[in-house]
Amino acid sequence: FHEAGHAVVARCFGIEVMDLSIRCRAKSLGRVTPVATPAWQRAERYDDLRRHADRNPESRRRIPVGVFHPRGLFDYEESLQAELHTCLAGSVAEEMQFSSYVDCSRGDWSRFHLQVSCCYGNLTGFVSGSSIALLRHRYWNSCKETLSKPENWTWVNAVVKAAVRSEHGVLTGAEIDSLRPWRPLPSRPLAKAG
């Protein structure tokens, strides 16, 4: 249910999904591979610059200021909202199905925290724990509302069944989309940053 939740919420918010896998790997029990959104590309650039600064303590440029352009945030607002929802969707789907979730999705929590730090943090990327908790609560509830719609929860169940029945535990994005009941997909995927 975890990976199906990620995939369905990503598609509901216009993020194209390349594939879903429920194969166990060294560091995960499964994964969803989305097409990178502008917000995710920005967060990855921020993370790369931050890591580079951490490796060079004598550098004059200790903070990745090149990525912080507050007015530019609005260029990424749609994809940021989609990313924050998608990060939490796996755990939300687990909780909805099993009344709890396994706290093994550290990558999802880290991705959420990175997005928030990059887009809402001060110049050092700092966001207080209470702000992170507030945002997590807000997006968690919004994800739950999205997945609670009958057509979306039916879709999650269809994706789970198809992934379990598939020969290798992998579904393509087209296979995931074909399982969607009723409503058409968003007319356009989120624009790719160039």
Side-chain angles (χ1 to χ4, degrees):
F1 279 86
H2 187 98
E3 304 308 334
H6 284 307
V8 167
V9 168
R11 293 304 295 128
C12 286
F13 282 90
I15 297 176
E16 187 179 336
V17 174
M18 293 189 290
D19 62 47
L20 171 150
S21 172
I22 57 171
R23 290 189 214 166
C24 290
R25 297 197 191 296
K27 293 185 179 184
S28 72
L29 298 174
R31 65 169 168 66
V32 170
T33 308
V35 171
T37 65
W40 183 244
Q41 291 172 344
R42 177 185 170 130
E44 283 196 331
R45 181 167 175 244
Y46 163 78
D47 196 40
D48 289 345
L49 289 170
R50 186 177 65 184
R51 288 175 199 268
H52 179 70
D54 287 347
R55 284 191 303 269
N56 298 300
E58 300 303 317
S59 172
R60 289 182 176 185
R61 213 167 166 190
R62 289 289 306 139
I63 55 175
V65 294
V67 95
F68 288 106
H69 300 287
R71 295 299 109 209
L73 171 62
F74 299 108
D75 297 339
Y76 303 100
E77 190 68 26
E78 184 181 352
S79 66
L80 173 62
Q81 301 302 315
E83 282 286 343
L84 292 175
H85 279 92
T86 302
C87 289
L88 300 179
S91 295
V92 171
E94 276 185 54
E95 182 186 72
M96 288 174 65
Q97 179 63 28
F98 305 113
S99 299
S100 68
Y101 66 94
V102 179
D103 193 18
C104 62
S105 54
R106 289 177 199 232
D108 297 338
W109 297 110
S110 296
R111 187 171 173 170
F112 183 87
H113 195 276
L114 176 62
Q115 284 287 354
V116 170
S117 297
C118 176
C119 296
Y120 295 121
N122 63 20
L123 282 180
T124 62
F126 176 77
V127 178
S128 70
S130 60
S131 295
I132 292 278
L134 179 69
L135 286 167
R136 190 180 311 135
H137 179 74
R138 173 184 169 204
Y139 283 97
W140 186 278
N141 288 337
S142 181
C143 256
K144 200 167 194 173
E145 185 178 316
T146 299
L147 288 172
S148 293
K149 293 178 182 175
E151 65 272 17
N152 291 339
W153 193 246
T154 300
W155 192 10
V156 168
N157 280 292
V159 170
V160 169
K161 287 178 187 171
V164 169
R165 290 180 181 158
S166 70
E167 184 177 352
H168 300 289
V170 177
L171 297 176
T172 66
E175 290 170 322
I176 293 165
D177 289 348
S178 73
L179 297 167
R180 185 176 190 158
W182 312 340
R183 296 180 13 206
L185 292 169
S187 58
R188 63 177 178 82
L190 292 172
K192 297 175 186 166

Short mmCIF file of all heavy atoms in Angstrom, two decimals, residues 53-115:
data_model
loop_
_atom_site.label_atom_id
_atom_site.label_comp_id
_atom_site.label_asym_id
_atom_site.label_seq_id
_atom_site.Cartn_x
_atom_site.Cartn_y
_atom_site.Cartn_z
N ALA A 53 29.48 22.64 0.45
CA ALA A 53 29.92 23.60 1.47
C ALA A 53 30.39 22.87 2.73
O ALA A 53 31.39 23.27 3.33
CB ALA A 53 28.79 24.57 1.81
N ASP A 54 29.72 21.80 3.10
CA ASP A 54 30.12 21.04 4.29
C ASP A 54 31.48 20.38 4.10
O ASP A 54 32.23 20.20 5.06
CB ASP A 54 29.07 19.97 4.63
CG ASP A 54 27.81 20.57 5.21
OD1 ASP A 54 27.83 21.77 5.58
OD2 ASP A 54 26.80 19.85 5.28
N ARG A 55 31.82 20.01 2.86
CA ARG A 55 33.12 19.38 2.60
C ARG A 55 34.25 20.41 2.53
O ARG A 55 35.41 20.05 2.53
CB ARG A 55 33.06 18.59 1.28
CG ARG A 55 32.32 17.28 1.39
CD ARG A 55 32.52 16.43 0.16
NE ARG A 55 32.13 17.08 -1.08
CZ ARG A 55 30.93 17.02 -1.64
NH1 ARG A 55 29.97 16.33 -1.06
NH2 ARG A 55 30.67 17.64 -2.76
N ASN A 56 33.90 21.68 2.42
CA ASN A 56 34.89 22.75 2.30
C ASN A 56 34.68 23.78 3.40
O ASN A 56 34.20 24.89 3.16
CB ASN A 56 34.76 23.44 0.92
CG ASN A 56 35.04 22.50 -0.21
OD1 ASN A 56 36.11 21.94 -0.29
ND2 ASN A 56 34.04 22.31 -1.07
N PRO A 57 35.07 23.44 4.64
CA PRO A 57 34.79 24.34 5.77
C PRO A 57 35.47 25.69 5.66
O PRO A 57 35.03 26.65 6.28
CB PRO A 57 35.29 23.56 6.98
CG PRO A 57 36.17 22.50 6.46
CD PRO A 57 35.77 22.24 5.04
N GLU A 58 36.54 25.80 4.88
CA GLU A 58 37.24 27.08 4.75
C GLU A 58 36.62 27.97 3.68
O GLU A 58 37.02 29.10 3.50
CB GLU A 58 38.72 26.84 4.42
CG GLU A 58 39.46 26.02 5.47
CD GLU A 58 39.39 26.65 6.86
OE1 GLU A 58 39.55 27.89 6.97
OE2 GLU A 58 39.14 25.92 7.83
N SER A 59 35.65 27.45 2.99
CA SER A 59 35.02 28.22 1.91
C SER A 59 34.32 29.45 2.47
O SER A 59 33.71 29.41 3.53
CB SER A 59 34.00 27.33 1.19
OG SER A 59 33.25 28.10 0.29
N ARG A 60 34.42 30.56 1.73
CA ARG A 60 33.72 31.76 2.13
C ARG A 60 32.21 31.58 1.98
O ARG A 60 31.43 32.25 2.62
CB ARG A 60 34.15 32.94 1.26
CG ARG A 60 35.52 33.38 1.53
CD ARG A 60 35.83 34.56 0.65
NE ARG A 60 37.14 35.06 1.00
CZ ARG A 60 37.66 36.14 0.48
NH1 ARG A 60 36.99 36.83 -0.41
NH2 ARG A 60 38.85 36.52 0.84
N ARG A 61 31.85 30.70 1.08
CA ARG A 61 30.44 30.49 0.79
C ARG A 61 29.97 29.25 1.54
O ARG A 61 29.90 28.17 1.00
CB ARG A 61 30.28 30.29 -0.71
CG ARG A 61 29.01 30.82 -1.21
CD ARG A 61 29.07 30.87 -2.71
NE ARG A 61 27.70 31.05 -3.15
CZ ARG A 61 27.31 30.96 -4.36
NH1 ARG A 61 28.18 30.68 -5.30
NH2 ARG A 61 26.06 31.14 -4.67
N ARG A 62 29.63 29.41 2.80
CA ARG A 62 29.23 28.29 3.65
C ARG A 62 27.76 27.91 3.48
O ARG A 62 27.33 26.91 3.95
CB ARG A 62 29.48 28.61 5.12
CG ARG A 62 30.93 28.65 5.47
CD ARG A 62 31.58 27.28 5.46
NE ARG A 62 30.84 26.38 6.32
CZ ARG A 62 30.57 25.12 6.02
NH1 ARG A 62 30.97 24.61 4.91
NH2 ARG A 62 29.89 24.37 6.86
N ILE A 63 26.99 28.78 2.84
CA ILE A 63 25.57 28.47 2.65
C ILE A 63 25.26 28.53 1.16
O ILE A 63 25.86 29.32 0.43
CB ILE A 63 24.66 29.43 3.44
CG1 ILE A 63 24.97 30.88 3.07
CG2 ILE A 63 24.76 29.20 4.92
CD1 ILE A 63 24.03 31.88 3.71
N PRO A 64 24.37 27.71 0.70
CA PRO A 64 24.06 27.66 -0.73
C PRO A 64 23.12 28.78 -1.15
O PRO A 64 21.99 28.54 -1.56
CB PRO A 64 23.39 26.29 -0.87
CG PRO A 64 22.77 26.04 0.45
CD PRO A 64 23.68 26.68 1.46
N VAL A 65 23.60 30.02 -1.08
CA VAL A 65 22.73 31.15 -1.37
C VAL A 65 22.27 31.18 -2.82
O VAL A 65 21.24 31.79 -3.12
CB VAL A 65 23.40 32.50 -1.00
CG1 VAL A 65 23.59 32.60 0.49
CG2 VAL A 65 24.70 32.68 -1.75
N GLY A 66 22.98 30.55 -3.70
CA GLY A 66 22.59 30.56 -5.11
C GLY A 66 21.23 29.95 -5.36
O GLY A 66 20.58 30.23 -6.36
N VAL A 67 20.76 29.14 -4.46
CA VAL A 67 19.48 28.47 -4.65
C VAL A 67 18.34 29.26 -4.02
O VAL A 67 17.19 29.04 -4.33
CB VAL A 67 19.58 27.04 -4.09
CG1 VAL A 67 19.07 26.94 -2.69
CG2 VAL A 67 18.87 26.05 -4.97
N PHE A 68 18.66 30.20 -3.14
CA PHE A 68 17.62 30.95 -2.44
C PHE A 68 17.26 32.22 -3.20
O PHE A 68 18.01 33.18 -3.22
CB PHE A 68 18.08 31.33 -1.03
CG PHE A 68 18.12 30.18 -0.10
CD1 PHE A 68 19.31 29.63 0.30
CD2 PHE A 68 16.95 29.62 0.38
CE1 PHE A 68 19.35 28.56 1.16
CE2 PHE A 68 16.97 28.55 1.25
CZ PHE A 68 18.18 28.02 1.63
N HIS A 69 16.14 32.21 -3.79
CA HIS A 69 15.56 33.38 -4.43
C HIS A 69 14.09 33.35 -4.03
O HIS A 69 13.27 32.77 -4.71
CB HIS A 69 15.70 33.31 -5.95
CG HIS A 69 17.12 33.24 -6.40
ND1 HIS A 69 17.97 34.32 -6.34
CD2 HIS A 69 17.85 32.22 -6.89
CE1 HIS A 69 19.16 33.96 -6.78
NE2 HIS A 69 19.12 32.69 -7.13
N PRO A 70 13.74 33.97 -2.88
CA PRO A 70 12.38 33.84 -2.35
C PRO A 70 11.28 34.11 -3.35
O PRO A 70 10.29 33.41 -3.39
CB PRO A 70 12.35 34.84 -1.20
CG PRO A 70 13.77 34.98 -0.80
CD PRO A 70 14.58 34.80 -2.05
N ARG A 71 11.44 35.11 -4.21
CA ARG A 71 10.38 35.39 -5.18
C ARG A 71 10.30 34.25 -6.20
O ARG A 71 9.26 33.99 -6.75
CB ARG A 71 10.62 36.72 -5.89
CG ARG A 71 10.54 37.91 -4.99
CD ARG A 71 9.17 38.07 -4.35
NE ARG A 71 9.25 37.75 -2.94
CZ ARG A 71 8.27 37.26 -2.21
NH1 ARG A 71 7.11 37.00 -2.72
NH2 ARG A 71 8.43 36.99 -0.94
N GLY A 72 11.41 33.59 -6.47
CA GLY A 72 11.42 32.47 -7.40
C GLY A 72 10.67 31.26 -6.87
O GLY A 72 10.31 30.37 -7.63
N LEU A 73 10.43 31.23 -5.56
CA LEU A 73 9.70 30.10 -4.97
C LEU A 73 8.35 29.92 -5.64
O LEU A 73 7.91 28.81 -5.87
CB LEU A 73 9.50 30.34 -3.47
CG LEU A 73 8.56 29.36 -2.74
CD1 LEU A 73 9.11 27.95 -2.83
CD2 LEU A 73 8.38 29.78 -1.31
N PHE A 74 7.72 31.03 -6.00
CA PHE A 74 6.40 30.93 -6.59
C PHE A 74 6.42 30.27 -7.96
O PHE A 74 5.41 29.77 -8.42
CB PHE A 74 5.73 32.30 -6.63
CG PHE A 74 5.55 32.86 -5.24
CD1 PHE A 74 6.33 33.92 -4.80
CD2 PHE A 74 4.66 32.28 -4.35
CE1 PHE A 74 6.18 34.40 -3.51
CE2 PHE A 74 4.52 32.76 -3.06
CZ PHE A 74 5.28 33.82 -2.64
N ASP A 75 7.57 30.25 -8.61
CA ASP A 75 7.70 29.53 -9.87
C ASP A 75 7.55 28.03 -9.65
O ASP A 75 7.25 27.30 -10.58
CB ASP A 75 9.08 29.79 -10.51
CG ASP A 75 9.29 31.25 -10.86
OD1 ASP A 75 8.28 31.98 -10.99
OD2 ASP A 75 10.45 31.66 -10.98
N TYR A 76 7.80 27.58 -8.44
CA TYR A 76 7.79 26.15 -8.12
C TYR A 76 6.63 25.75 -7.22
O TYR A 76 6.56 24.61 -6.79
CB TYR A 76 9.09 25.77 -7.41
CG TYR A 76 10.32 26.11 -8.20
CD1 TYR A 76 11.05 27.25 -7.92
CD2 TYR A 76 10.74 25.28 -9.23
CE1 TYR A 76 12.19 27.57 -8.66
CE2 TYR A 76 11.87 25.59 -9.97
CZ TYR A 76 12.58 26.72 -9.68
OH TYR A 76 13.69 27.02 -10.40
N GLU A 77 5.74 26.67 -6.92
CA GLU A 77 4.71 26.42 -5.91
C GLU A 77 3.86 25.19 -6.22
O GLU A 77 3.63 24.35 -5.36
CB GLU A 77 3.83 27.65 -5.72
CG GLU A 77 2.91 27.56 -4.53
CD GLU A 77 3.62 27.59 -3.19
OE1 GLU A 77 4.73 28.14 -3.10
OE2 GLU A 77 3.06 27.05 -2.23
N GLU A 78 3.41 25.06 -7.47
CA GLU A 78 2.56 23.93 -7.84
C GLU A 78 3.31 22.61 -7.67
O GLU A 78 2.80 21.66 -7.09
CB GLU A 78 2.09 24.08 -9.29
CG GLU A 78 1.13 22.99 -9.73
CD GLU A 78 0.70 23.17 -11.17
OE1 GLU A 78 1.01 24.20 -11.80
OE2 GLU A 78 0.03 22.25 -11.68
N SER A 79 4.54 22.56 -8.14
CA SER A 79 5.29 21.31 -8.01
C SER A 79 5.73 21.07 -6.56
O SER A 79 5.81 19.93 -6.12
CB SER A 79 6.48 21.26 -8.96
OG SER A 79 7.46 22.21 -8.65
N LEU A 80 5.95 22.14 -5.79
CA LEU A 80 6.29 21.97 -4.38
C LEU A 80 5.12 21.33 -3.63
O LEU A 80 5.31 20.39 -2.86
CB LEU A 80 6.64 23.31 -3.74
CG LEU A 80 6.86 23.29 -2.23
CD1 LEU A 80 8.03 22.39 -1.86
CD2 LEU A 80 7.06 24.70 -1.70
N GLN A 81 3.91 21.83 -3.87
CA GLN A 81 2.73 21.26 -3.21
C GLN A 81 2.59 19.78 -3.58
O GLN A 81 2.31 18.93 -2.73
CB GLN A 81 1.46 22.01 -3.60
CG GLN A 81 1.47 23.49 -3.27
CD GLN A 81 1.68 23.77 -1.80
OE1 GLN A 81 1.08 23.15 -0.94
NE2 GLN A 81 2.56 24.71 -1.49
N ALA A 82 2.79 19.47 -4.84
CA ALA A 82 2.69 18.09 -5.30
C ALA A 82 3.75 17.21 -4.64
O ALA A 82 3.46 16.10 -4.18
CB ALA A 82 2.83 18.03 -6.83
N GLU A 83 4.97 17.71 -4.57
CA GLU A 83 6.07 16.95 -3.95
C GLU A 83 5.81 16.68 -2.48
O GLU A 83 6.03 15.57 -1.99
CB GLU A 83 7.40 17.70 -4.09
CG GLU A 83 8.02 17.62 -5.44
CD GLU A 83 8.64 16.26 -5.73
OE1 GLU A 83 8.87 15.46 -4.81
OE2 GLU A 83 8.86 16.00 -6.92
N LEU A 84 5.38 17.71 -1.74
CA LEU A 84 5.15 17.53 -0.30
C LEU A 84 4.05 16.51 -0.05
O LEU A 84 4.15 15.70 0.87
CB LEU A 84 4.84 18.88 0.36
CG LEU A 84 6.02 19.86 0.39
CD1 LEU A 84 5.57 21.21 0.95
CD2 LEU A 84 7.19 19.32 1.19
N HIS A 85 3.00 16.53 -0.85
CA HIS A 85 1.94 15.52 -0.73
C HIS A 85 2.48 14.12 -1.04
O HIS A 85 2.24 13.17 -0.30
CB HIS A 85 0.78 15.83 -1.68
CG HIS A 85 -0.15 16.87 -1.16
ND1 HIS A 85 0.00 18.21 -1.45
CD2 HIS A 85 -1.25 16.77 -0.37
CE1 HIS A 85 -0.96 18.89 -0.86
NE2 HIS A 85 -1.73 18.05 -0.19
N THR A 86 3.23 14.03 -2.13
CA THR A 86 3.72 12.72 -2.57
C THR A 86 4.70 12.12 -1.56
O THR A 86 4.69 10.90 -1.34
CB THR A 86 4.38 12.85 -3.96
OG1 THR A 86 3.40 13.37 -4.87
CG2 THR A 86 4.86 11.51 -4.47
N CYS A 87 5.52 12.95 -0.92
CA CYS A 87 6.46 12.43 0.08
C CYS A 87 5.75 11.69 1.21
O CYS A 87 6.25 10.67 1.70
CB CYS A 87 7.27 13.58 0.69
SG CYS A 87 8.47 14.33 -0.40
N LEU A 88 4.61 12.17 1.63
CA LEU A 88 3.90 11.59 2.78
C LEU A 88 2.89 10.53 2.39
O LEU A 88 2.42 9.77 3.25
CB LEU A 88 3.18 12.71 3.55
CG LEU A 88 4.07 13.80 4.12
CD1 LEU A 88 3.23 14.84 4.84
CD2 LEU A 88 5.12 13.22 5.06
N ALA A 89 2.55 10.45 1.13
CA ALA A 89 1.43 9.60 0.68
C ALA A 89 1.61 8.12 1.00
O ALA A 89 0.62 7.43 1.30
CB ALA A 89 1.21 9.78 -0.81
N GLY A 90 2.82 7.60 0.97
CA GLY A 90 3.03 6.18 1.25
C GLY A 90 2.65 5.82 2.68
O GLY A 90 1.91 4.86 2.92
N SER A 91 3.13 6.60 3.62
CA SER A 91 2.81 6.35 5.03
C SER A 91 1.33 6.59 5.31
O SER A 91 0.73 5.87 6.12
CB SER A 91 3.67 7.23 5.94
OG SER A 91 5.03 6.88 5.81
N VAL A 92 0.74 7.57 4.66
CA VAL A 92 -0.69 7.82 4.84
C VAL A 92 -1.50 6.63 4.35
O VAL A 92 -2.42 6.18 5.03
CB VAL A 92 -1.12 9.12 4.11
CG1 VAL A 92 -2.64 9.26 4.11
CG2 VAL A 92 -0.47 10.34 4.74
N ALA A 93 -1.16 6.10 3.19
CA ALA A 93 -1.87 4.93 2.66
C ALA A 93 -1.73 3.73 3.60
O ALA A 93 -2.71 3.00 3.83
CB ALA A 93 -1.36 4.59 1.26
N GLU A 94 -0.53 3.52 4.13
CA GLU A 94 -0.32 2.44 5.10
C GLU A 94 -1.22 2.62 6.32
O GLU A 94 -1.85 1.67 6.78
CB GLU A 94 1.13 2.42 5.60
CG GLU A 94 2.10 1.69 4.73
CD GLU A 94 3.46 1.65 5.39
OE1 GLU A 94 3.56 1.21 6.56
OE2 GLU A 94 4.42 2.08 4.74
N GLU A 95 -1.24 3.83 6.84
CA GLU A 95 -2.06 4.10 8.02
C GLU A 95 -3.55 3.87 7.73
O GLU A 95 -4.28 3.31 8.55
CB GLU A 95 -1.85 5.52 8.52
CG GLU A 95 -2.65 5.82 9.77
CD GLU A 95 -2.58 7.27 10.20
OE1 GLU A 95 -3.17 8.12 9.51
OE2 GLU A 95 -1.90 7.53 11.21
N MET A 96 -3.98 4.29 6.56
CA MET A 96 -5.39 4.10 6.21
C MET A 96 -5.74 2.62 6.09
O MET A 96 -6.83 2.21 6.49
CB MET A 96 -5.71 4.84 4.90
CG MET A 96 -5.73 6.34 5.05
SD MET A 96 -5.94 7.22 3.48
CE MET A 96 -7.59 6.68 3.02
N GLN A 97 -4.85 1.83 5.55
CA GLN A 97 -5.13 0.41 5.36
C GLN A 97 -4.94 -0.40 6.64
O GLN A 97 -5.73 -1.28 6.93
CB GLN A 97 -4.23 -0.16 4.25
CG GLN A 97 -4.43 -1.64 3.99
CD GLN A 97 -5.82 -1.99 3.50
OE1 GLN A 97 -6.49 -1.18 2.86
NE2 GLN A 97 -6.27 -3.20 3.79
N PHE A 98 -3.89 -0.12 7.38
CA PHE A 98 -3.52 -0.97 8.52
C PHE A 98 -3.69 -0.29 9.88
O PHE A 98 -3.29 -0.86 10.89
CB PHE A 98 -2.07 -1.44 8.36
CG PHE A 98 -1.81 -2.14 7.06
CD1 PHE A 98 -0.97 -1.57 6.12
CD2 PHE A 98 -2.39 -3.36 6.78
CE1 PHE A 98 -0.72 -2.21 4.91
CE2 PHE A 98 -2.16 -4.00 5.58
CZ PHE A 98 -1.31 -3.43 4.64
N SER A 99 -4.19 0.92 9.91
CA SER A 99 -4.37 1.71 11.14
C SER A 99 -3.06 2.08 11.80
O SER A 99 -3.03 2.50 12.95
CB SER A 99 -5.27 0.98 12.14
OG SER A 99 -6.54 0.77 11.58
N SER A 100 -1.97 1.89 11.13
CA SER A 100 -0.65 2.32 11.59
C SER A 100 0.29 2.25 10.39
O SER A 100 -0.05 1.69 9.36
CB SER A 100 -0.13 1.44 12.73
OG SER A 100 0.14 0.15 12.26
N TYR A 101 1.46 2.80 10.55
CA TYR A 101 2.46 2.68 9.50
C TYR A 101 3.79 2.32 10.13
O TYR A 101 4.07 2.63 11.27
CB TYR A 101 2.58 3.96 8.66
CG TYR A 101 3.10 5.15 9.41
CD1 TYR A 101 4.45 5.47 9.41
CD2 TYR A 101 2.23 5.98 10.13
CE1 TYR A 101 4.93 6.55 10.11
CE2 TYR A 101 2.70 7.07 10.82
CZ TYR A 101 4.04 7.36 10.81
OH TYR A 101 4.52 8.44 11.49
N VAL A 102 4.60 1.61 9.36
CA VAL A 102 5.91 1.20 9.83
C VAL A 102 6.86 2.36 9.59
O VAL A 102 6.91 2.92 8.50
CB VAL A 102 6.40 -0.04 9.05
CG1 VAL A 102 7.77 -0.46 9.51
CG2 VAL A 102 5.40 -1.17 9.20
N ASP A 103 7.58 2.74 10.62
CA ASP A 103 8.47 3.89 10.51
C ASP A 103 9.79 3.49 9.83
O ASP A 103 10.86 3.63 10.40
CB ASP A 103 8.73 4.49 11.89
CG ASP A 103 9.39 5.85 11.79
OD1 ASP A 103 9.34 6.47 10.72
OD2 ASP A 103 9.97 6.28 12.79
N CYS A 104 9.66 2.96 8.61
CA CYS A 104 10.88 2.59 7.88
C CYS A 104 11.03 3.45 6.63
O CYS A 104 11.84 3.17 5.78
CB CYS A 104 10.85 1.12 7.51
SG CYS A 104 9.49 0.70 6.41
N SER A 105 10.23 4.49 6.54
CA SER A 105 10.26 5.34 5.36
C SER A 105 11.08 6.61 5.60
O SER A 105 10.65 7.70 5.31
CB SER A 105 8.84 5.68 4.93
OG SER A 105 8.13 6.25 6.00
N ARG A 106 12.27 6.43 6.14
CA ARG A 106 13.13 7.58 6.45
C ARG A 106 13.45 8.40 5.22
O ARG A 106 13.59 9.61 5.29
CB ARG A 106 14.42 7.13 7.11
CG ARG A 106 14.18 6.63 8.50
CD ARG A 106 15.47 6.12 9.11
NE ARG A 106 15.10 5.26 10.22
CZ ARG A 106 15.58 5.41 11.42
NH1 ARG A 106 16.48 6.31 11.65
NH2 ARG A 106 15.19 4.61 12.37
N GLY A 107 13.57 7.73 4.07
CA GLY A 107 13.83 8.46 2.83
C GLY A 107 12.71 9.43 2.51
O GLY A 107 12.95 10.55 2.06
N ASP A 108 11.47 9.01 2.76
CA ASP A 108 10.32 9.88 2.51
C ASP A 108 10.33 11.08 3.45
O ASP A 108 10.10 12.21 3.04
CB ASP A 108 9.00 9.11 2.69
CG ASP A 108 8.85 7.97 1.71
OD1 ASP A 108 9.52 7.99 0.65
OD2 ASP A 108 8.07 7.05 2.00
N TRP A 109 10.62 10.81 4.73
CA TRP A 109 10.67 11.91 5.72
C TRP A 109 11.82 12.85 5.40
O TRP A 109 11.67 14.07 5.49
CB TRP A 109 10.82 11.37 7.14
CG TRP A 109 9.68 10.55 7.61
CD1 TRP A 109 9.68 9.21 7.84
CD2 TRP A 109 8.33 10.98 7.89
NE1 TRP A 109 8.44 8.79 8.24
CE2 TRP A 109 7.59 9.86 8.29
CE3 TRP A 109 7.70 12.21 7.84
CZ2 TRP A 109 6.25 9.92 8.65
CZ3 TRP A 109 6.36 12.27 8.20
CH2 TRP A 109 5.65 11.14 8.59
N SER A 110 12.95 12.30 4.99
CA SER A 110 14.11 13.13 4.64
C SER A 110 13.81 14.00 3.43
O SER A 110 14.19 15.17 3.37
CB SER A 110 15.33 12.26 4.34
OG SER A 110 15.72 11.57 5.49
N ARG A 111 13.14 13.40 2.45
CA ARG A 111 12.78 14.15 1.24
C ARG A 111 11.83 15.29 1.58
O ARG A 111 11.97 16.40 1.08
CB ARG A 111 12.16 13.18 0.23
CG ARG A 111 11.92 13.77 -1.11
CD ARG A 111 11.51 12.69 -2.09
NE ARG A 111 11.11 13.30 -3.35
CZ ARG A 111 10.89 12.62 -4.43
NH1 ARG A 111 11.04 11.32 -4.44
NH2 ARG A 111 10.52 13.23 -5.54
N PHE A 112 10.85 15.02 2.45
CA PHE A 112 9.91 16.05 2.88
C PHE A 112 10.67 17.18 3.58
O PHE A 112 10.50 18.36 3.27
CB PHE A 112 8.86 15.45 3.84
CG PHE A 112 7.81 16.42 4.29
CD1 PHE A 112 6.67 16.62 3.54
CD2 PHE A 112 7.96 17.13 5.48
CE1 PHE A 112 5.69 17.53 3.95
CE2 PHE A 112 7.00 18.03 5.89
CZ PHE A 112 5.86 18.22 5.13
N HIS A 113 11.57 16.81 4.50
CA HIS A 113 12.35 17.80 5.26
C HIS A 113 13.24 18.61 4.32
O HIS A 113 13.36 19.84 4.48
CB HIS A 113 13.18 17.08 6.32
CG HIS A 113 13.73 18.00 7.35
ND1 HIS A 113 14.89 18.71 7.16
CD2 HIS A 113 13.27 18.34 8.57
CE1 HIS A 113 15.14 19.45 8.23
NE2 HIS A 113 14.18 19.24 9.10
N LEU A 114 13.85 17.97 3.34
CA LEU A 114 14.71 18.68 2.40
C LEU A 114 13.90 19.69 1.59
O LEU A 114 14.32 20.84 1.41
CB LEU A 114 15.40 17.69 1.46
CG LEU A 114 16.26 18.31 0.35
CD1 LEU A 114 17.40 19.12 0.93
CD2 LEU A 114 16.79 17.21 -0.56
N GLN A 115 12.72 19.28 1.11
CA GLN A 115 11.87 20.19 0.36
C GLN A 115 11.49 21.42 1.20
O GLN A 115 11.56 22.55 0.75
CB GLN A 115 10.59 19.49 -0.11
CG GLN A 115 10.78 18.56 -1.26
CD GLN A 115 11.02 19.30 -2.57
OE1 GLN A 115 10.94 20.52 -2.66
NE2 GLN A 115 11.31 18.55 -3.61
#
